[in-house]
């Protein structure tokens, strides 16, 4: 069934979504290469959508079960360790997996060098963190973090095995295989976590879910790719890639700090329950944003890199992806904000009500996160890791300063400042996009504002129309259905080309 849908999706994308990619007049080879790019891009987007959609749906189901079985304290204890695992993961990769995608003529020794570098780096980092476990526990005033951290940190040692294979799959747009593998890994690890939670293992169930997922994904990639590591170790490709990868590394670490800084600060200033409440809100916001950004990000960098020598076509391709992202991101995120209270209560019970206002605020910033991802992939695809690094690090430094300046007013003030900066910083990314591909501010507004305006109007109308409803389950269902119908009707009346393309795709099915 999926193969049938894939065929229609590819035909639709080739004729519509990538109509902006003109065929060059250089001859048969150029025609063949362009058709190959269109085919790979279309299939990549289709399986990226399948991957993001199925993963987020399964994540919702697993998240609901675990949130009902566990307490905010359980989530808080595990959340305190997230920043350490994430930064260690950044260091073991060191930006080389991204650098591999930008190499024009890649060889097996390039993958092999990254593989062995990742293995050695992860072994050293795990040893260091293993010894630092008592210090981490003392910092957060949680003795249970000593054994828990040593177990969770083992996950990034396993993930090192999958870094080079992941770059291979990303470079070759093997999103179908990634979708199948990720779904299987999440199904097995999530089921395991639920079983352990039912048996009273509390935060250990979350830890086992994380480590098992990483193990299955890392080892499973070798079943889909022909490349295998060898013991002929040559680190010269590492030296060649370092000029590009070190900027990616710095930027990735900065992003990791940004994503986990609030949890880190909360863990120091507040109790485990406060961390757990924030983590629950942050988790649902991230899942919704990833549903959009994950679909586009899986193909954006390779596509932009392949069009790097043709600025006009690259700009048209970027604007097409920008509109596609806006068409999905605004209704998804503002819609989640609209139904956040009903969703939290219906899905994971009233014990998580404290997370509702935080989720609503995070959704505002989350609506703009997919655009950040798209702009970042554009700059990386053009080989401008220096701009990507400078812009991201500046954003993170400003975020930290704003958060530290607002913590005295409580968690809500800190989250509000965090989300506000995400919205404003899109203008900075836009400035660099203009320098890179000639995308003017006016073009960006023309692509985003129609979807933004319609979404705000639809959500406001839905909110006031459903105010008389009292039953929480009925209110949730009616708001989702009414908002979806009004949004599609508004797009139809206004003659949205993006909607026409989607309808054309559905008719072909």
């Amino acid at each position: 069934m999926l193969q049938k849908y894939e065929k229609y999706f590819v035909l639709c994308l080739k004729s519509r979504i990538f109509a902006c990619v003109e065929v060059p007049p250089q001859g048969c080879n150029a025609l063949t290469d362009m058709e190959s790019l269109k085919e790979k891009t279309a299939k990549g987007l289709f399986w990226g959508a399948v991957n993001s959609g199925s993963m987020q749906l399964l994540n919702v189901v697993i998240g609901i079960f675990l949130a009902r079985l566990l307490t905010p304290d359980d989530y808080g204890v595990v959340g305190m360790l997230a920043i350490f695992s994430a930064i260690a993961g950044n260091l073991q990769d060191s930006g080389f997996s991204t650098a591999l995608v930008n190499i024009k003529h890649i060889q097996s020794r390039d993958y092999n060098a990254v593989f062995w570098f990742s293995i050695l780096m992860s072994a050293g980092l795990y040893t260091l963190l293993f010894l630092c476990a008592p210090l981490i526990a003392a910092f957060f005033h949680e003795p249970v973090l000593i054994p828990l951290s040593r177990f969770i940190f083992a996950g990034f040692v396993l993930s090192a095995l999958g870094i080079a294979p992941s770059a291979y799959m990303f470079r070759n747009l093997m999103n179908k295989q990634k979708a199948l593998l990720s779904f299987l890994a999440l199904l097995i690890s999530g089921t395991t976590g639920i079983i352990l939670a039912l048996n009273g293992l509390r935060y250990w169930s979350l830890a086992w879910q994380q480590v098992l997922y990483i193990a299955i994904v890392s080892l499973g990639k070798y079943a889909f790719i022909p490349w295998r590591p060898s013991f002929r170790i040559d680190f010269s490709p590492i030296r060649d890639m370092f000029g590009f990868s070190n900027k990616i590394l710095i930027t990735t670490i900065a992003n990791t700090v940004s994503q986990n800084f609030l949890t880190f600060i909360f863990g120091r200033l507040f109790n485990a329950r406060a961390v757990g409440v924030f983590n629950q809100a942050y988790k649902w916001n991230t899942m919704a944003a990833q549903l959009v950004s994950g679909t586009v990000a899986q193909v954006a960098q390779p596509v932009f890199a392949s069009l790097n020598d043709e600025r006009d076509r690259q700009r048209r391709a970027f604007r097409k992806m920008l509109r596609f992202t806006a068409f999905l991101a605004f209704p998804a995120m503002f819609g989640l904000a609209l139904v956040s209270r009903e969703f939290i209560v219906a899905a994971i019970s009233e014990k998580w009500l404290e997370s509702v206002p935080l989720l609503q605020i995070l959704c505002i910033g989350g609506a703009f996160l997919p655009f950040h991802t798209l702009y970042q992939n554009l700059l990386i695809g053009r080989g401008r890791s220096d701009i990507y690094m400078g812009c991201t690090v500046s954003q993170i430094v400003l975020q930290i300063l704003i958060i530290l300046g607002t913590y005295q007013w409580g968690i809500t003030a800190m989250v509000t400042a965090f989300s506000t900066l995400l919205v404003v910083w899109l203008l900075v990314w836009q400035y660099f996009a203009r320098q890179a591909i000639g995308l003017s501010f006016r073009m960006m507004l023309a692509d985003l504002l129609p979807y933004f305006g319609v979404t705000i109007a639809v959500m406001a109308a839905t909110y006031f129309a459903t105010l008389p409803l009292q039953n929480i389950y009925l209110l949730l269902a009616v708001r989702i259905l009414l908002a979806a119908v009004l949004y599609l009707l508004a797009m139809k009346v206004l003659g949205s080309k993006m909607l026409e393309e989607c309808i054309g795709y559905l008719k072909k099915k």
Side-chain angles (χ1 to χ4, degrees):
M1 182 65 71
L2 280 175
Q3 289 178 346
K4 176 183 176 183
Y5 290 164
E6 176 188 353
K7 175 182 177 182
Y8 290 135
F9 188 85
V10 169
L11 289 173
C12 179
L13 286 180
K14 286 173 66 177
S15 63
R16 292 177 177 270
I17 292 182
F18 293 96
C20 57
V21 182
E22 299 174 356
V23 178
Q26 285 91 348
C28 294
N29 289 337
L31 287 168
T32 302
D33 291 343
M34 185 53 60
E35 286 301 314
S36 175
L37 174 62
K38 288 182 180 180
E39 188 80 16
K40 286 184 176 181
T41 304
K43 286 185 177 181
L45 267 181
F46 174 79
W47 284 105
V50 171
N51 187 13
S52 295
S54 60
M55 288 289 289
Q56 299 310 331
L57 179 61
L58 189 55
N59 260 319
V60 167
V61 175
I62 294 171
I64 288 174
F65 274 101
L66 289 175
R68 285 183 170 270
L69 293 169
L70 303 176
T71 67
D73 298 75
D74 296 327
Y75 277 91
V77 169
V78 175
M80 291 173 182
L81 299 173
I83 192 169
F84 299 101
S85 296
I87 291 178
N90 298 154
L91 290 171
Q92 72 182 19
D93 177 275
S94 294
F96 292 118
S97 61
T98 304
L100 287 173
V101 178
N102 272 29
I103 296 177
K104 288 189 176 181
H105 305 290
I106 198 165
Q107 301 178 38
S108 178
R109 72 188 189 99
D110 298 318
Y111 290 112
N112 203 57
V114 171
F115 174 84
W116 287 108
F117 175 86
S118 302
I119 294 294
L120 295 175
M121 178 65 78
S122 64
L125 289 171
Y126 180 73
T127 301
L128 177 63
L129 288 174
F130 184 94
L131 297 175
C132 289
L135 298 177
I136 295 172
F139 179 83
F140 289 112
H141 312 296
E142 291 284 353
V144 297
L145 288 179
I146 296 177
L148 186 66
S149 65
R150 287 172 172 171
F151 177 74
I152 289 179
F153 293 156
F156 66 79
V157 178
L158 294 170
S159 71
L161 298 170
I163 288 178
S166 180
Y168 184 97
M169 297 178 78
F170 184 36
R171 180 184 177 92
N172 291 280
L173 296 176
M174 297 174 65
N175 289 339
K176 175 180 179 179
Q177 294 83 349
K178 288 170 63 178
L180 296 174
L181 179 59
S182 298
F183 185 84
L184 178 63
L186 184 57
L187 181 62
I188 295 174
S189 63
T191 303
T192 302
I194 292 171
I195 292 173
L196 294 176
L198 285 169
N199 283 275
L201 268 72
R202 299 180 57 198
Y203 47 79
W204 282 105
S205 62
L206 297 174
W208 271 100
Q209 182 192 5
Q210 289 183 26
V211 174
L212 189 57
Y213 177 83
I214 292 171
I216 295 172
V217 168
S218 297
L219 297 176
K221 290 171 183 174
Y222 289 94
F224 296 105
I225 66 173
W227 177 83
R228 292 292 183 272
S230 72
F231 286 100
R232 297 181 60 183
I233 304 174
D234 175 16
F235 286 121
S236 59
I238 295 293
R239 293 192 294 270
D240 296 337
M241 288 184 279
F242 185 74
F244 178 87
S245 67
N246 74 89
K247 300 179 183 67
I248 297 295
L249 171 62
I250 294 171
T251 309
T252 305
I253 291 177
N255 272 326
T256 298
V257 171
S258 171
Q259 294 165 6
N260 295 278
F261 187 71
L262 283 177
T263 301
F264 183 79
I265 289 295
F266 292 168
R268 178 63 179 175
L269 300 178
F270 307 102
N271 56 31
R273 178 179 178 82
V275 178
V277 167
F278 169 76
N279 272 356
Q280 197 65 233
Y282 189 79
K283 179 185 74 174
W284 294 114
N285 172 70
T286 302
M287 286 171 59
Q290 278 294 323
L291 184 62
V292 181
S293 61
T295 298
V296 178
Q298 292 182 63
V299 299
Q301 185 197 342
V303 170
F304 293 147
S306 67
L307 299 174
N308 214 13
D309 297 328
E310 299 170 83
R311 192 169 182 254
D312 290 341
R313 287 176 53 225
Q314 192 177 59
R315 182 176 63 250
R316 290 195 294 272
F318 180 82
R319 292 191 67 186
K320 200 74 172 183
M321 288 192 182
L322 195 63
R323 291 192 293 272
F324 177 70
T325 302
F327 178 74
L328 297 178
F330 288 137
M333 299 309 301
F334 292 150
L336 178 58
L338 175 68
V339 301
S340 57
R341 184 179 182 278
E342 296 77 41
F343 173 76
I344 291 295
V345 173
I348 57 178
S349 77
E350 292 185 356
K351 69 181 179 182
W352 294 101
L353 267 176
E354 294 175 70
S355 66
V356 171
L358 299 180
L359 175 57
Q360 291 172 330
I361 297 169
L362 287 171
C363 281
I364 297 173
F368 292 85
L369 275 177
F371 301 110
H372 285 230
T373 302
L374 193 59
Y375 277 95
Q376 290 164 1
N377 276 279
L378 171 67
L379 294 173
I380 295 172
R382 290 188 62 83
R384 296 309 306 267
S385 59
D386 54 338
I387 295 178
Y388 172 52
M389 177 187 70
C391 188
T392 303
V393 170
S394 299
Q395 175 187 349
I396 305 313
V397 170
L398 190 55
Q399 276 181 343
I400 292 174
L401 293 175
I402 290 176
I403 290 169
L404 291 177
T406 56
Y407 84 90
Q408 57 186 317
W409 292 293
I411 292 178
T412 302
M414 296 169 71
V415 172
T416 302
F418 177 83
S419 295
T420 301
L421 186 60
L422 287 179
V423 178
V424 175
W425 204 258
L426 185 63
L427 299 177
V428 179
W429 289 115
Q430 165 58 32
Y431 170 80
F432 289 108
R434 179 175 184 174
Q435 303 299 313
I437 60 173
L439 180 73
S440 68
F441 181 71
R442 180 176 164 185
M443 292 176 184
M444 186 264 281
L445 289 181
D447 292 333
L448 299 188
L449 282 184
Y451 301 102
F452 178 84
V454 169
T455 300
I456 294 297
V458 165
M459 297 308 160
T462 301
Y463 173 77
F464 288 110
T466 55
L467 276 178
L469 299 178
Q470 298 298 320
N471 183 279
I472 200 78
Y473 298 98
L474 179 62
L475 183 58
L476 175 63
V478 171
R479 280 187 168 175
I480 292 175
L481 181 60
L482 181 59
V485 171
L486 289 178
Y487 182 73
L488 293 176
L489 284 176
M491 289 290 107
K492 181 67 175 177
V493 171
L494 295 173
S496 169
K497 291 184 179 179
M498 191 61 64
L499 178 62
E500 290 177 5
E501 292 168 0
C502 293
I503 291 175
Y505 161 60
L506 293 174
K507 286 182 177 178
K508 286 188 176 184
K509 292 203 294 184

